[in-house]
Amino acid sequence: MYMMRNKQIVISGGTSGIGLATAELFAQDGAEVLLIGRNKAKGLSAAQKIQQLSPGSVFIQADLSTMQGCHNAAQSIKRRGREIDVLVNAAGIYAEGRLGTVTEIEYDELMNINVKGTIFLTQELLSLMSKLDASIINIASDAGVNGNYGCPVYCASKGAVVAFTRGLALDCAPLIRVNCICPGDVATPLVEKQLVSGNYTLAEMTKAYPLARIGKAEEIAHMICAIASPLNGFMTGSIITIDGGLTAG
Ligand code: NAD
């Protein structure tokens, strides 16, 4: 469907939520998928699932919030001796907090994984992406374009991913296409945690959406695979919202 047979795909945050749904779709399409995540047990179980579709797929454990972690993950990938066709930067966290209460530790936690990890994993892997029409897809958020209530630092982290995408797309053309997806709320473990820690219910969250529901991880995964597909070769530097109409008005 996406022309991914025998391609090698790296997905940071590939062990859960949007990243895992994306790994499944790429694997179904014949690609070998390398899943990077923090948690070993979760990662091995995700890899087992993906290996049933694509036996060469593996889990790589790394903490991408540090440059050393990005370097270690990249070294494991380089040892495989293959070029990368697609890099999906999906590793990320969400945290609420009005500006008056945000601490330096909370700021660092958000920025280190959402921004630093995205930038330095990409830097580490660029040398493996020398094929024409290689593709990088970053996951930002509607909050990185329009802003959301009660999470200005998260908004800032995702705004940085949007701007990084645009700048990198210019620097990497014409070889590598670089695009960014901005989802609204999507049913994943990240949103499950948000609903536990926030002051609102799923029904309240859903009310904001013209399509009267939040997204499914498979819907975001489909868009990531479609962007990466060689059938989509003219798209670079694009920021694509998938948010059930949340930002349409
Ligand atoms: P999730 O919690 O299900 O998955 C997050 C993944 O990131 C996990 O695989 C985890 O291991 C990985 N990760 C987190 N910190 C890491 C670290 N320090 N090192 C390595 N890996 C790390 O979340 P999700 O909903 O699938 O989110 C994926 C991306 O989409 C995130 O960047 C998130 O900000 C973004 N996003 C999610 C939503 C949503 O509503 N779910 C909306 C907009 C944007």
Side-chain angles (χ1 to χ4, degrees):
M1 187 172 174
Y2 305 106
M3 298 179 64
M4 288 293 148
R5 184 151 300 283
N6 296 326
K7 300 213 170 193
Q8 177 154 257
I9 318 286
V10 175
I11 307 182
S12 82
T15 60
S16 176
I18 292 170
L20 180 56
T22 305
E24 246 181 293
L25 265 196
F26 274 129
Q28 275 168 17
D29 217 50
E32 202 167 76
V33 191
L34 316 184
L35 316 170
I36 310 176
R38 253 178 327 181
N39 183 298
K40 189 171 179 187
K42 214 164 134 188
L44 290 174
S45 138
Q48 223 173 19
K49 189 171 171 190
I50 300 304
Q51 280 157 359
Q52 286 168 9
L53 301 163
S54 169
S57 299
V58 294
F59 166 59
I60 296 163
Q61 186 182 16
D63 178 356
L64 299 175
S65 66
T66 66
M67 286 181 72
Q68 188 62 50
C70 293
H71 179 72
N72 294 347
Q75 288 304 107
S76 302
I77 292 167
K78 285 176 185 169
R79 280 195 288 275
R80 294 170 64 87
R82 281 193 62 186
E83 285 277 308
I84 296 169
D85 297 282
V86 180
L87 166 63
V88 180
N89 283 308
I93 56 169
Y94 174 79
E96 287 181 358
R98 294 178 72 84
L99 188 59
T101 61
V102 171
T103 64
E104 186 177 2
I105 292 173
E106 287 166 344
Y107 171 93
D108 285 343
E109 261 173 24
L110 269 169
M111 289 294 178
N112 285 349
I113 180 58
N114 292 2
V115 184
K116 191 162 93 179
T118 297
I119 291 176
F120 285 105
L121 183 66
T122 304
Q123 182 194 57
E124 286 280 350
L125 294 179
L126 270 185
S127 63
L128 290 183
M129 301 187 79
S130 59
K131 283 189 194 166
L132 190 61
D133 203 36
S135 180
I136 297 171
I137 296 149
N138 298 322
I139 315 299
S141 165
D142 66 283
V145 181
N146 290 336
N148 266 348
Y149 294 99
C151 55
V153 179
Y154 179 75
C155 293
S157 75
K158 291 304 187 175
V161 173
V162 167
F164 172 62
T165 301
R166 289 203 170 104
L168 191 68
L170 296 177
D171 284 352
C172 288
L175 199 62
I176 307 173
R177 295 186 297 110
V178 188
N179 293 289
C180 179
I181 289 196
C182 295
D185 290 303
V186 180
T188 68
L190 178 147
V191 160
E192 282 163 25
K193 276 186 227 148
Q194 185 180 342
L195 288 169
V196 170
S197 62
N199 278 331
Y200 41 85
T201 62
L202 178 59
E204 282 161 345
M205 182 184 261
T206 300
K207 271 193 204 147
Y209 287 85
L211 289 187
R213 65 173 177 84
I214 65 168
K216 300 175 190 160
E218 310 85 83
E219 292 168 331
I220 312 303
H222 162 67
M223 189 51 65
I224 293 170
C225 293
I227 290 172
S229 171
L231 297 169
N232 188 47
F234 197 50
M235 180 189 277
T236 196
S238 294
I239 311 301
I240 301 116
T241 51
I242 315 178
D243 63 7
L246 183 69
T247 57

